[in-house]
Amino acid sequence: MPVKIRMSRHGRKKRPFYHIVVADSRAPRDGRLIERLGSYNPNTNPATIELDFDKALDWLQKGAQPTDTCRAILSYKGVLMKKHLLEGAKKGAFTEEEAEKRFEAWLTEKESGIQAKIESLAKKKDDAEKAILARETEINLARAAEIEKKKLDAVETAAAEAAEEVTEEVVEEEMRIPEEAPVAAEEVKAEETPVAEVVEEKKEEVKAEEAPVAEVVEEKKEEVKAEEAPVAEVVEEKKEEVVKETPAKEVKAEEKKVEETPAEKPAKEEKAEEKKDSDA
């Protein structure tokens, strides 16, 4: 009967997992099998392959035909290479020892290539993780800076609001001062008078202290007039007294005498002296 080396599917949806089996080609894919050789997991990078090398080589030597996928897997693991070298040794191209050395050299080179691929993939993964971490760090720093900015803005806003409240309270207090303490308000106003008002007050004080000379003279004249009554008023008073006490003739004589007031006598005397001087 025709025997094939093929894969039997297992695993869940979109996450397949395969068994490498030897089965009759007429059997269903996931049906009856003859022997299991290993497993293949394509969900990892690189793919994970587990294979019984000797059993696979034995079935190949017996004539089992692998499918395309299983052939690639067997070539990757070196089973086909080993079968080729053994057939060359049987034909006498080289000895089995030489075939074994060649296979070991090929296997070493293959494993080094696989290891280099694994390392390059790990490096790419590390670089990607570092890049992601650096990007996340930048994002976190930007967020932290934004948060700090928001906090500073909030503090400034609160300070501004507090200053406005204090200003409003001060204004309210100033508005309350005339009602609650008018005396204090007047004192404040008196303390905070403008310079111009102070100058005006000083000028008024100076004017009050240094009265004009004309006003002083007028005041002195009025005082002199009040102290020294006019001669006419004194004469009138004397006339009335004489009229009451003496007869009419005496009154007339007295009037003549009174008419010659002390103020006129010096004038007459001066005129008489002038005449004497002129006659001389």
Side-chain angles (χ1 to χ4, degrees):
M1 67 178 179
V3 177
K4 280 198 168 186
I5 300 174
R6 65 186 184 185
M7 292 190 295
S8 175
R9 190 185 190 283
H10 296 274
R12 59 185 177 83
K13 185 178 180 180
K14 296 184 180 180
R15 297 285 292 178
F17 179 84
Y18 299 96
H19 289 174
I20 301 171
V21 298
V22 178
D24 187 355
S25 60
R26 295 168 292 183
R29 182 197 66 179
D30 300 331
R32 185 177 178 183
L33 57 90
I34 299 171
E35 189 176 9
R36 180 184 170 187
L37 300 179
S39 63
Y40 170 69
N41 183 10
N43 298 314
T44 60
N45 189 16
T48 303
I49 299 172
E50 294 180 0
L51 182 67
D52 191 336
F53 189 90
D54 294 333
K55 286 183 179 181
L57 180 61
D58 184 48
W59 278 104
L60 284 176
Q61 288 174 348
K62 288 178 180 179
Q65 296 297 317
T67 60
D68 294 340
T69 305
C70 286
R71 183 179 292 278
I73 290 170
L74 295 173
S75 175
Y76 182 79
K77 298 300 286 185
V79 177
L80 295 179
M81 184 65 180
K82 185 70 177 284
K83 178 178 178 288
H84 175 71
L85 291 172
L86 290 176
E87 288 177 355
K90 284 181 181 179
K91 292 177 180 179
F94 44 82
T95 61
E96 292 184 0
E97 294 178 356
E98 183 67 20
E100 192 68 28
K101 287 180 182 178
R102 289 184 181 183
F103 178 72
E104 290 293 334
W106 179 89
L107 188 62
T108 303
E109 184 179 356
K110 186 72 174 179
E111 287 179 354
S112 64
I114 293 169
Q115 190 64 29
K117 183 180 180 180
I118 291 170
E119 290 177 356
S120 66
L121 291 172
K123 186 177 180 181
K124 287 181 180 179
K125 185 177 179 181
D126 291 340
D127 293 341
E129 289 178 354
K130 288 179 180 178
I132 292 169
L133 183 61
R135 185 178 178 185
E136 289 179 354
T137 303
E138 291 178 359
I139 292 170
N140 291 334
L141 291 174
R143 287 178 180 173
E146 187 176 357
I147 290 168
E148 289 294 330
K149 186 178 179 182
K150 287 181 179 179
K151 288 181 179 179
L152 290 174
D153 293 340
V155 171
E156 290 178 356
T157 305
E161 291 178 355
E164 289 179 359
E165 291 178 358
V166 170
T167 305
E168 291 177 358
E169 290 179 357
V170 170
V171 171
E172 291 178 358
E173 291 294 332
E174 289 179 353
M175 293 176 68
R176 290 175 189 168
I177 284 171
E179 298 177 359
E180 296 178 357
V183 177
E186 291 176 359
E187 291 177 357
V188 171
K189 290 181 180 179
E191 291 176 359
E192 298 179 356
T193 50
V195 177
E197 294 180 4
V198 174
V199 172
E200 292 296 329
E201 290 178 0
K202 293 295 183 181
K203 286 181 178 179
E204 291 176 359
E205 291 177 1
V206 169
K207 287 179 180 180
E209 292 175 0
E210 299 176 6
V213 177
E215 293 180 1
V216 174
V217 171
E218 292 294 330
E219 290 177 0
K220 294 296 183 181
K221 286 181 179 181
E222 290 177 358
E223 290 176 1
V224 169
K225 287 179 181 180
E227 292 175 358
E228 298 177 6
V231 176
E233 292 179 2
V234 174
V235 169
E236 290 295 329
E237 290 177 0
K238 294 294 183 181
K239 282 181 179 182
E240 290 177 359
E241 293 176 359
V242 169
V243 168
K244 289 179 182 179
E245 296 177 357
T246 60
K249 293 180 178 180
E250 295 179 358
V251 169
K252 289 180 181 180
E254 290 292 331
E255 286 177 358
K256 289 181 180 180
K257 292 179 181 179
V258 170
E259 285 177 358
E260 295 178 1
T261 58
E264 293 176 353
K265 286 181 179 181
K268 289 181 179 181
E269 291 175 358
E270 288 178 359
K271 287 179 180 181
E273 290 177 358
E274 288 177 358
K275 283 181 181 183
K276 289 177 182 183
D277 294 331
S278 61
D279 292 336

